[in-house]
Amino acid sequence: MNDERTDGRHLLTIGRLADYAGVTIKAVRVYHDRGLLPEPPRDSSGYRRYGAEHAIQLVKIRTLAEAGVPLARIGELLAAGREQFTAAIDEIDRGLRERAEQIRRARHRLAQLHDGDRLFVSAEVADYLGQLREIGVSERTVLLERDLWIMMRSVAPGQAAAWIADKVAAVADPEFRSLYLDYDAAFGWSPDDPRLPAIAERTRQWFAAQESDTETGPPPDPTATRLAATTTTASSPAWARIAELARHRT
C-alpha cells in the first residue's frame, strides 16, 4: 500500500501538496496559521494528509496572493459572493494603484539621491555646483555652498533665483574662477598667513570691476557677488580675514 494513503481521500503529505500548488511548505503552514487552509488531523504515523479539496483551496489562496491581495483579505474573498468579490477586488485594486504611485514617487526621490545636490536645491543651483566641481573646487567647499543655498532657498526664495543668475555669470569669468580656487586653497590657512593680503586685493579689484562695468548691462547684485566670492567666512578664519582685508584696503 502507498505510504501516503490513509482513507482514499487524503493522499498527500504537506510536501507533495506544496509541490502541486507551487508554494513552499512554509507558506502552507502560514496559511494554516491564518485560518485560510483547513489543517487535517494527523494519521496514525503522526503525519498530516491532504486531499484534493486542500489542493484546490491552496491554489486559490496562491492565486489571490500573487495578484496582490493581502493575506488579511484572502479569507474574505474566498467566502464572498460574486458581487462582494468584485467590490472587494476593486477596493484592493485602488489600494494597489495608490501604493504604486507612492512607490513611483519614492523611486523618483531615490533617483535624485544619485545627485544629492538636486534633492535639496533648485536645478540651476545644482548645475552651478556642478560647474564648481568641474573647475576643481574641493567637495568641502562645494558642500558649504550647497548648504548656504539650502538656507537661502528657505529664507529668501525670490532673491535666491536672482542670486543664482549672478553666481552663474560670475563663474563664467576666468578671473573669478581663479580667485575662487585660491579661496578654496586658503580655507585652512592661518589668518596671519602672508598670502592672504594678495588674495584680498584681487578680491577687491574684482568687485570694483563688476561695479564699474556698464557695457554688459546692470551690475550683479552685490550681495550675491560677495556670496559667490566668499561663501561663508564663518567656516574659515582665513576667509574671514580675506573679507576684512578686502573691505579695508591698506
Side-chain angles (χ1 to χ4, degrees):
M1 183 177 70
N2 190 318
D3 63 0
E4 291 184 350
R5 188 182 182 91
T6 55
D7 61 3
R9 292 181 296 109
H10 298 95
L11 309 175
L12 305 174
T13 63
I14 188 172
R16 187 64 62 86
L17 175 74
D19 287 342
Y20 283 161
V23 300
T24 64
I25 292 175
K26 181 179 179 180
V28 174
R29 289 177 174 146
V30 168
Y31 300 151
H32 284 327
D33 292 341
R34 293 294 189 103
L36 299 176
L37 184 68
E39 193 170 12
R42 298 183 184 276
D43 62 14
S44 58
S45 60
Y47 292 99
R48 298 189 188 281
R49 304 288 178 169
Y50 298 82
E53 70 277 15
H54 297 100
I56 293 169
Q57 183 80 343
L58 186 55
V59 169
K60 290 180 180 178
I61 294 168
R62 185 207 68 199
T63 302
L64 291 172
E66 289 179 346
V69 177
L71 286 183
R73 302 290 304 273
I74 287 178
E76 169 194 346
L77 265 65
L78 289 173
R82 187 177 186 84
E83 290 184 3
Q84 293 85 355
F85 185 92
T86 299
I89 288 295
D90 288 343
E91 178 187 348
I92 292 168
D93 183 56
R94 285 193 299 274
L96 288 174
R97 289 199 302 270
E98 291 173 1
R99 178 59 180 156
E101 177 59 21
Q102 292 172 357
I103 292 173
R104 186 196 66 78
R105 290 196 298 266
R107 293 188 69 232
H108 177 69
R109 299 289 284 180
L110 284 172
Q112 289 180 308
L113 289 174
H114 288 292
D115 185 354
D117 296 336
R118 294 181 188 276
L119 185 64
F120 302 109
V121 298
S122 68
E124 293 79 8
V125 172
D127 289 342
Y128 164 72
L129 296 176
Q131 291 182 60
L132 295 184
R133 291 185 175 96
E134 288 176 4
I135 66 175
V137 175
S138 70
E139 189 66 12
R140 173 207 61 227
T141 297
V142 172
L143 294 181
L144 284 172
E145 273 250 19
R146 186 193 68 182
D147 290 347
L148 182 65
W149 283 106
I150 292 171
M151 180 187 67
M152 290 198 301
R153 187 181 188 185
S154 298
V155 301
Q159 291 190 49
W163 289 342
I164 188 56
D166 288 337
K167 297 278 299 240
V168 169
V171 82
D173 181 349
E175 174 58 22
F176 177 82
R177 292 199 297 270
S178 175
L179 187 58
Y180 201 123
L181 290 172
D182 286 345
Y183 265 89
D184 187 29
F187 178 86
W189 295 355
S190 165
D192 299 322
D193 192 292
R195 294 170 289 183
L196 297 183
I199 298 177
E201 178 59 19
R202 288 175 58 207
T203 300
R204 189 199 63 77
Q205 292 177 2
W206 190 85
F207 278 118
Q210 309 315 302
E211 292 169 0
S212 63
D213 184 2
T214 58
E215 298 180 359
T216 58
D221 185 311
T223 302
T225 305
R226 184 168 296 279
L227 288 171
T230 64
T231 67
T232 172
T233 58
S235 301
S236 165
W239 288 357
R241 180 58 176 160
I242 292 171
E244 180 185 2
L245 293 170
R247 287 194 302 269
H248 306 288
R249 182 184 181 189
T250 58

